[in-house]
Amino acid sequence: MSGDPTALVTELRASVARLHGELTRYGLVAWTAGNVSARVPGHDLMVIKPSGVDYDDLSAENMVLCDLDGVPVEGELSPSSDTAAHAYVYRAMPEVGGVVHTHSTYATAWAARGESIPCHLTAQADEFGGEIPVGPFALIGGDDIGKGIVSTLTGHRSPAVLMRNHGVFTIGSNARAAVKAAVMCEDVARTAHLARALGQPVPMAQADIDALYDRYQNVYGQRPSPPASS
């Protein structure tokens, strides 16, 4: 660790609390299910949602600060029941700065089937670089879910995994990126379901998927302007 993380933790508490509102905004969660966490950069710490608290009652003040073994180090509430899974991901994947879990309807339906979502859409190629994979079944409470997430996503382009008979876990460079992946995963899952209901979706060539992914990841959107020459 380096320096005092107080300012970072304060900022992340507010950010993580606010990002939970995106889960309800996009209809990805019901009641108190689901969670968002964020790594504290430069420190073996993470901020995560408290267990069983209504979304309307979430605030920066009641987010829970834990170490990367999932042990609370600050806050009066118990952390999410998925804390051990999040902590395992952060320990195993140092590039990950945010983790999200939802039971969003269409994506979880694919998880219930134990079936990956094949890539038949340009939007899916953009965001996920191919199929959205299925991870193994694991019981809630320990780090077995985290192990399944890591084993499935290591070396995979997708930031989302459908954990069999459970739901969606997404990762990102920060918590906002992980929330975006959760939103897009549900959108893709819904469209893929409807396409299959209509008939056999048309396959995409791997070269096209690769080209779309490269364009979206490296060209799409606004890029910083080069510094002016003196």
PDB file of all heavy atoms in Angstrom, residues 18 28 83 100 115 118 133 150 152 159 210:
ATOM      1  N   ARG A  18     -23.826   5.402  -6.033  1.00  0.00           N
ATOM      2  CA  ARG A  18     -24.538   5.972  -7.185  1.00  0.00           C
ATOM      3  C   ARG A  18     -24.717   4.940  -8.299  1.00  0.00           C
ATOM      4  O   ARG A  18     -25.777   4.868  -8.929  1.00  0.00           O
ATOM      5  CB  ARG A  18     -23.756   7.175  -7.707  1.00  0.00           C
ATOM      6  CG  ARG A  18     -24.417   7.912  -8.865  1.00  0.00           C
ATOM      7  CD  ARG A  18     -23.662   9.171  -9.220  1.00  0.00           C
ATOM      8  NE  ARG A  18     -22.307   8.903  -9.697  1.00  0.00           N
ATOM      9  CZ  ARG A  18     -21.193   9.114  -9.002  1.00  0.00           C
ATOM     10  NH1 ARG A  18     -21.249   9.613  -7.779  1.00  0.00           N
ATOM     11  NH2 ARG A  18     -20.005   8.845  -9.505  1.00  0.00           N
ATOM     12  N   LEU A  28     -32.003  -4.379 -13.937  1.00  0.00           N
ATOM     13  CA  LEU A  28     -31.123  -5.545 -13.854  1.00  0.00           C
ATOM     14  C   LEU A  28     -31.242  -6.305 -12.542  1.00  0.00           C
ATOM     15  O   LEU A  28     -30.663  -7.394 -12.408  1.00  0.00           O
ATOM     16  CB  LEU A  28     -29.658  -5.119 -14.038  1.00  0.00           C
ATOM     17  CG  LEU A  28     -29.316  -4.334 -15.303  1.00  0.00           C
ATOM     18  CD1 LEU A  28     -27.814  -4.126 -15.379  1.00  0.00           C
ATOM     19  CD2 LEU A  28     -29.830  -5.036 -16.550  1.00  0.00           C
ATOM     20  N   THR A  83     -19.243 -11.003  -1.344  1.00  0.00           N
ATOM     21  CA  THR A  83     -17.974 -10.310  -1.104  1.00  0.00           C
ATOM     22  C   THR A  83     -16.768 -11.196  -1.360  1.00  0.00           C
ATOM     23  O   THR A  83     -15.784 -10.764  -1.971  1.00  0.00           O
ATOM     24  CB  THR A  83     -17.941  -9.755   0.331  1.00  0.00           C
ATOM     25  OG1 THR A  83     -18.972  -8.768   0.474  1.00  0.00           O
ATOM     26  CG2 THR A  83     -16.601  -9.116   0.644  1.00  0.00           C
ATOM     27  N   VAL A 100     -19.373  -6.442 -10.880  1.00  0.00           N
ATOM     28  CA  VAL A 100     -20.826  -6.283 -10.726  1.00  0.00           C
ATOM     29  C   VAL A 100     -21.480  -7.653 -10.810  1.00  0.00           C
ATOM     30  O   VAL A 100     -21.046  -8.516 -11.579  1.00  0.00           O
ATOM     31  CB  VAL A 100     -21.398  -5.361 -11.831  1.00  0.00           C
ATOM     32  CG1 VAL A 100     -22.929  -5.369 -11.819  1.00  0.00           C
ATOM     33  CG2 VAL A 100     -20.887  -3.938 -11.651  1.00  0.00           C
ATOM     34  N   GLU A 115     -25.900 -22.172 -21.021  1.00  0.00           N
ATOM     35  CA  GLU A 115     -25.551 -21.959 -22.428  1.00  0.00           C
ATOM     36  C   GLU A 115     -24.925 -20.590 -22.624  1.00  0.00           C
ATOM     37  O   GLU A 115     -25.445 -19.574 -22.143  1.00  0.00           O
ATOM     38  CB  GLU A 115     -26.807 -22.075 -23.292  1.00  0.00           C
ATOM     39  CG  GLU A 115     -26.553 -21.960 -24.779  1.00  0.00           C
ATOM     40  CD  GLU A 115     -27.814 -22.154 -25.612  1.00  0.00           C
ATOM     41  OE1 GLU A 115     -28.889 -22.425 -25.022  1.00  0.00           O
ATOM     42  OE2 GLU A 115     -27.728 -22.016 -26.838  1.00  0.00           O
ATOM     43  N   PRO A 118     -24.030 -17.003 -28.152  1.00  0.00           N
ATOM     44  CA  PRO A 118     -23.181 -16.906 -29.347  1.00  0.00           C
ATOM     45  C   PRO A 118     -23.254 -15.508 -29.948  1.00  0.00           C
ATOM     46  O   PRO A 118     -24.226 -14.773 -29.750  1.00  0.00           O
ATOM     47  CB  PRO A 118     -23.776 -17.956 -30.283  1.00  0.00           C
ATOM     48  CG  PRO A 118     -25.170 -18.146 -29.826  1.00  0.00           C
ATOM     49  CD  PRO A 118     -25.192 -17.883 -28.353  1.00  0.00           C
ATOM     50  N   PRO A 133     -19.484 -16.144 -22.318  1.00  0.00           N
ATOM     51  CA  PRO A 133     -19.316 -17.534 -21.886  1.00  0.00           C
ATOM     52  C   PRO A 133     -20.098 -17.877 -20.625  1.00  0.00           C
ATOM     53  O   PRO A 133     -20.538 -16.998 -19.875  1.00  0.00           O
ATOM     54  CB  PRO A 133     -17.814 -17.627 -21.619  1.00  0.00           C
ATOM     55  CG  PRO A 133     -17.454 -16.238 -21.162  1.00  0.00           C
ATOM     56  CD  PRO A 133     -18.320 -15.316 -21.983  1.00  0.00           C
ATOM     57  N   VAL A 150     -12.908 -16.182 -12.571  1.00  0.00           N
ATOM     58  CA  VAL A 150     -11.527 -15.993 -13.023  1.00  0.00           C
ATOM     59  C   VAL A 150     -11.134 -17.057 -14.047  1.00  0.00           C
ATOM     60  O   VAL A 150     -10.544 -16.747 -15.089  1.00  0.00           O
ATOM     61  CB  VAL A 150     -10.564 -15.994 -11.822  1.00  0.00           C
ATOM     62  CG1 VAL A 150      -9.112 -16.038 -12.285  1.00  0.00           C
ATOM     63  CG2 VAL A 150     -10.802 -14.761 -10.960  1.00  0.00           C
ATOM     64  N   THR A 152     -12.983 -18.682 -16.050  1.00  0.00           N
ATOM     65  CA  THR A 152     -13.721 -18.523 -17.304  1.00  0.00           C
ATOM     66  C   THR A 152     -13.260 -17.301 -18.094  1.00  0.00           C
ATOM     67  O   THR A 152     -13.139 -17.360 -19.322  1.00  0.00           O
ATOM     68  CB  THR A 152     -15.238 -18.410 -17.028  1.00  0.00           C
ATOM     69  OG1 THR A 152     -15.662 -19.539 -16.271  1.00  0.00           O
ATOM     70  CG2 THR A 152     -16.024 -18.360 -18.338  1.00  0.00           C
ATOM     71  N   PRO A 159     -16.055  -9.270 -20.878  1.00  0.00           N
ATOM     72  CA  PRO A 159     -16.027  -8.832 -19.484  1.00  0.00           C
ATOM     73  C   PRO A 159     -17.203  -9.383 -18.681  1.00  0.00           C
ATOM     74  O   PRO A 159     -17.398  -8.999 -17.529  1.00  0.00           O
ATOM     75  CB  PRO A 159     -16.113  -7.314 -19.604  1.00  0.00           C
ATOM     76  CG  PRO A 159     -16.966  -7.105 -20.826  1.00  0.00           C
ATOM     77  CD  PRO A 159     -16.619  -8.233 -21.769  1.00  0.00           C
ATOM     78  N   ASP A 210     -13.711  -9.903 -35.121  1.00  0.00           N
ATOM     79  CA  ASP A 210     -12.424  -9.346 -34.705  1.00  0.00           C
ATOM     80  C   ASP A 210     -12.286  -7.889 -35.130  1.00  0.00           C
ATOM     81  O   ASP A 210     -11.818  -7.039 -34.354  1.00  0.00           O
ATOM     82  CB  ASP A 210     -11.279 -10.159 -35.309  1.00  0.00           C
ATOM     83  CG  ASP A 210     -11.201 -11.570 -34.768  1.00  0.00           C
ATOM     84  OD1 ASP A 210     -11.804 -11.840 -33.708  1.00  0.00           O
ATOM     85  OD2 ASP A 210     -10.532 -12.409 -35.403  1.00  0.00           O
TER      86      ASP A 210
END
